[in-house]
Amino acid sequence: MPDIPVLTAQDFKSDIKPIWCPGCGDYSVLTALAKACAELGRPREGIALISGIGCSSRLPAYTSVYGFHGVHGRALALAAGVKLARPDLTVIAAGGDGDGLSIGGNHFLHACRRNVDMTYILMDNQVYGMTKGQASPTTAPDWCESKLTPAGTGIAPVAPLLLALAAGVNFFARGFAGNPNELARLITAGITHPGFSVIHVLSPCITFRAEQRAWKQAVHALDDAPATDPAAAMMRYAGDDGFTTGILYAGSNSPFMPERRRAMAAADFEAGFVVERQAAG
């Protein structure tokens, strides 16, 4: 029996050089994801990484696993289809706060409640970085550095944790890109937890939000065990400042997986759509 080589984190990175801005937190997310894949010990062909559009959605090109770069906001729908068709694969979706909570917000809600066994890495920098610095769904209402909103948005930001809990998420962790080793641990925990898991990553965009350098001092680890009851979790995190890191919620709902049908030949499939013509009277 041939020896199966042990893959390192570097083995899960492709030869394509990332083109993120200097100092972007997504570099560390790539490192953490590669570390997690190596820790899991699964072959590269057993992992599928699906993304949408945005800076963070470039991740599939920078890894050596199966990848699919989809359209804006649809990563979770694509990932669910992959997992339901190929339940043997480890399926990971990746995207940013705009891709996942704005145009993809509807898919985010239903992914939480559907609970397909896959993991979503949601990189949040509170700005649309690829399109040069506009306010995103998680931007504070008084942020006024964008030419589109010079007086701020005046709109309360989305709280990903509370939104996910309300929609029925089965696992939610928050990590900081500045701590890739801890982030790798959270990604590994999310992948191994049954059902839909969200890894919310505070990933600074210092090009358009230089003040996010202060996130290093703002993050603080959860000093308690993860919540396991959704109602209790909503109460616990109602006043969360958005910088609490760790596994915040771990539910126990069974993953969604419909009964698999037998393989069907193309001719049999087409037969179900045949419209019979009635004989002329």
Side-chain angles (χ1 to χ4, degrees), residues 144-235:
C144 55
E145 297 301 317
S146 169
K147 293 181 180 179
L148 292 181
T149 53
T153 66
I155 303 171
V158 170
L161 171 58
L162 299 181
L163 183 65
L165 287 171
V169 72
N170 206 44
F171 180 98
F172 192 103
R174 185 186 290 129
F176 174 49
N179 190 347
N181 289 332
E182 171 65 7
L183 182 56
R185 182 186 74 84
L186 297 177
I187 294 173
T188 302
I191 291 173
T192 56
H193 190 88
F196 182 60
S197 301
V198 175
I199 312 298
H200 179 213
V201 185
L202 299 172
S203 184
C205 174
I206 62 173
T207 297
F208 295 106
R209 301 291 306 266
E211 71 276 12
Q212 291 178 351
R213 295 177 187 273
W215 282 4
K216 184 176 182 180
Q217 288 73 43
V219 293
H220 51 93
L222 179 70
D223 58 1
D224 202 351
T228 56
D229 176 75
M234 289 291 286
M235 293 289 290

Side-chain angles (χ1 to χ4, degrees), residues 6 102 112 115 136 148 222 241:
V6 177
S102 183
C112 289
N115 200 32
S136 84
L148 292 181
L222 179 70
D241 64 359

Side-chain angles (χ1 to χ4, degrees), residues 16 29 34 76 79 121 125 138 150 166 173 193-194 257 260:
I16 300 175
V29 178
L76 289 174
I121 301 176
N125 55 20
T138 56
H193 190 88
M257 176 57 71
R260 293 183 59 77

